[in-house]
Amino acid sequence: MSNRIQATFDQLKQQNRKALIPFVTAGDPSPELTVALLHTLVAAGADVLELGVPFSDPMADGPTIQRASERALKLGVSLRSVLGLVAEFRQQDATTPVVLMGYGNPIEAMGWELFAQRCSDVGVDGVLTVDFPPEESHDAFEHLQRHNIAPIFLLAPTTTEARIEQVARLARGYVYYVSLKGVTGSGSIDLSAIEQKLPQLRRHIKLPIGVGFGIRDAATAKAVARLCDGVVVGSRIVEEIENSTEATVLDKVGALVKELRAALDQS
Amino acid sequence: MYNYPDSTGHFGQFGGMYMAETLIPAVEELTAQYLHFRDDADFKAELAYELKHYVGRPSPIYHARRLSEHLGGAQIYLKREDLNHTGAHKINSAMGQALLARRMGKKRVIAETGAGMHGVATATVAARFGMECIVYMGAEDIQRQAPNVFRMKLLGAKVVPVTSGSKTLKDACNEAIRDWVTNVESTFYIFGTAAGPHPYPMMVRDFQSIIGVEAKIQMPEMIGRQPDAVIACVGGGSNAIGLFYPYIEEKGVRIIGVEAGGFGLATGKHAAPLTANAKIGVLHGNRVNLMQDENGQITETHSISAGLDYPGVGPEHCLLKEMGRAEYVVSTDDEAIAAFDALCRFEGIIPALESSHALAHAMKIAPTLSQDTVLLVNLSGRGDKDMNTVAQIKGIRL
């Protein structure tokens, strides 16, 4: 594997730092602003970018990311155009890993082979398909592997040991641990539960482990970062986008991500 | 020998278990528990008792003689699922799933509902067994099906309006899945149709198969043989698969599923993924024919009947179509209304708008068939819930 994800985590490890992995939905607040927003995230201290591919039926997402998805779809954003946005981002950033996150059907509609090929062409590094567990990922996995794109898998508090082993065999890049039972942006996370679960994950997973769902502020990000290799912040950033105007969005999101970065670097 | 799904929940290329990781252990546990209790003598005895004494099974088969004479061709027989307690076939599966939930120690049940019949059935069994019940229902369907909303509330359920997306059945499904992922340990999701992640398509089919199992005994008693065709409406397709499944190996019996043609297939405003040859995709846990745009976004559907207003269809129907064992056709909104009126006037039976689609197709083909041809139509529900919709179409204020 190339790959930007591994290089990034290797470098962070040498520096004894934790990865900050922000999530934004492609095309929110507008397709014109997405690339600038991604550069802003990187400038503010993001290490890996998770870029949401909008879907009409985002079953695993809470209201905040649902609304972002709806806004983007209304503006005509599609998987095709998201890939175009990544290509545009890559013109000025050749090093920051980009992971596409979304649901399987838009990829199914394009076809996995063409999708994986396009990902490789535009510089996508990983793909996380929320509703494709390992059991249903054989085809997807094969095509992604062929084009050197990392399949990113979720693990959850409910995941059994046998399934952790299965994911350990298939996953590349990093593994995303969903810190709570629920949809994105819900509830507050239970640090002690994460602390208890991580050794079980580490027994099988040799890749970096990112933790996300329910990380809403710098203090929580810092506390979670102590336990793992990276923190994913999604709904909180999307909320900031929702509460901004097009004129203020880059500054406001940049300030939030800087705050998270500073907290992580103290952990 | 027809034997689906396979052990991983696939019906050929269809079906499967496409869910977020948090829910996978829950569906695996459900599969294990269901497979265990399915063959458990106590479970089977309790289900049989409840179906007989609480639901009121077996449901009769009725020869719609006046309607058949009027049409002047094939004889139309009706499997009277509308006579079940709560007025539709949905209770067959809700009861089975509630008994399973009890054995699994779950005290909270959730459901999605379109027309409200599955919501009412779930609220009913929850009341019957003293379980907390939350029903997710699209805001638009709450308008269309107000009497059922009131029934659910009377039965003690909490009805949560869903305002995202198209505000109909698919969005109610999304919201129920979100609840389940949040409350997975305490909660049993009583799914309404023979779709969703494995084991639901199999489990709901098995519970609904009582319809076809009874029919296969009743038809020879009534006419000395099996019918020439079995006909049922297909949204997700639970009443249809319940009638069809026991007939799959009866090669002489035609199997006809009737989807919602809405304003007509040519208008694009319908809910007929099979008839319209919709592209195969993944939604709500399974791979099926799915109404979607060229970018894989799920498109909004239209049907006069809330219970059929869904962009997907159960995976076993996709397989039966692919194998050529079943045919799938549509009835439009207008044809369904005409069938609704006809059954009211000729037989004194007010059918659900969903079931009216199946009846409409039987009425369409009956005149082209000989008088000794027998069509068995699944009258999956009664139409009391549709009074507002029908009155509105006729320009009447209730």
Side-chain angles (χ1 to χ4, degrees), chain B residues 27-40 43 47 96-97 100 104 188 198-208:
Chain B
V27 291
E28 284 183 336
E29 166 73 1
L30 179 59
T31 303
Q33 295 286 331
Y34 172 63
L35 291 176
H36 170 74
F37 285 113
R38 184 175 69 172
D39 302 319
D40 178 80
F43 181 84
L47 179 58
Q97 292 186 61
L100 187 58
M104 291 172 67
F188 190 105
H198 181 62
Y200 284 103
M202 169 181 75
M203 181 170 71
V204 172
R205 172 199 73 195
D206 292 350
F207 288 139
Q208 290 295 356

Side-chain angles (χ1 to χ4, degrees), chain A residues 58-208:
Chain A
M59 283 154 284
D61 286 299
T64 303
I65 294 178
Q66 285 175 47
R67 285 195 300 268
S69 219
E70 281 177 21
R71 284 193 294 270
L73 288 175
K74 263 194 200 124
L75 295 170
V77 175
S78 64
L79 178 56
R80 218 168 286 274
S81 63
V82 174
L83 289 162
L85 292 172
V86 177
E88 201 184 323
F89 170 76
R90 278 279 171 252
Q91 289 172 8
Q92 285 174 51
D93 187 326
T95 56
T96 310
V98 173
V99 172
L100 296 188
M101 180 167 180
Y103 298 80
N105 202 57
I107 305 176
E108 290 274 326
M110 179 179 281
W112 280 95
E113 177 54 29
L114 178 60
F115 170 70
Q117 173 70 57
R118 292 281 294 133
C119 281
S120 172
D121 293 346
V122 303
V124 167
D125 303 283
V127 172
L128 197 173
T129 317
V130 179
D131 54 349
F132 276 50
E135 288 83 348
E136 303 290 358
S137 294
H138 314 296
D139 285 357
F141 185 79
E142 202 184 298
H143 294 295
L144 292 176
Q145 283 282 81
R146 184 177 307 151
H147 294 282
N148 219 11
I149 308 296
I152 313 281
F153 286 97
L154 296 172
L155 292 173
T158 51
T159 304
T160 57
E161 187 118 15
R163 296 185 56 76
I164 296 171
E165 281 181 61
Q166 193 180 9
V167 166
R169 280 196 300 276
L170 292 173
R172 301 288 184 273
Y174 61 97
V175 167
Y176 185 154
Y177 180 64
V178 174
S179 56
L180 50 79
K181 296 186 277 286
V183 293
T184 54
S186 63
S188 54
I189 62 177
D190 180 348
L191 281 173
S192 67
I194 299 174
E195 199 161 4
Q196 275 175 20
K197 186 81 178 181
L198 276 171
Q200 189 194 23
L201 303 184
R202 296 270 194 214
R203 268 204 295 283
H204 305 284
I205 309 273
K206 301 307 166 199
L207 294 171

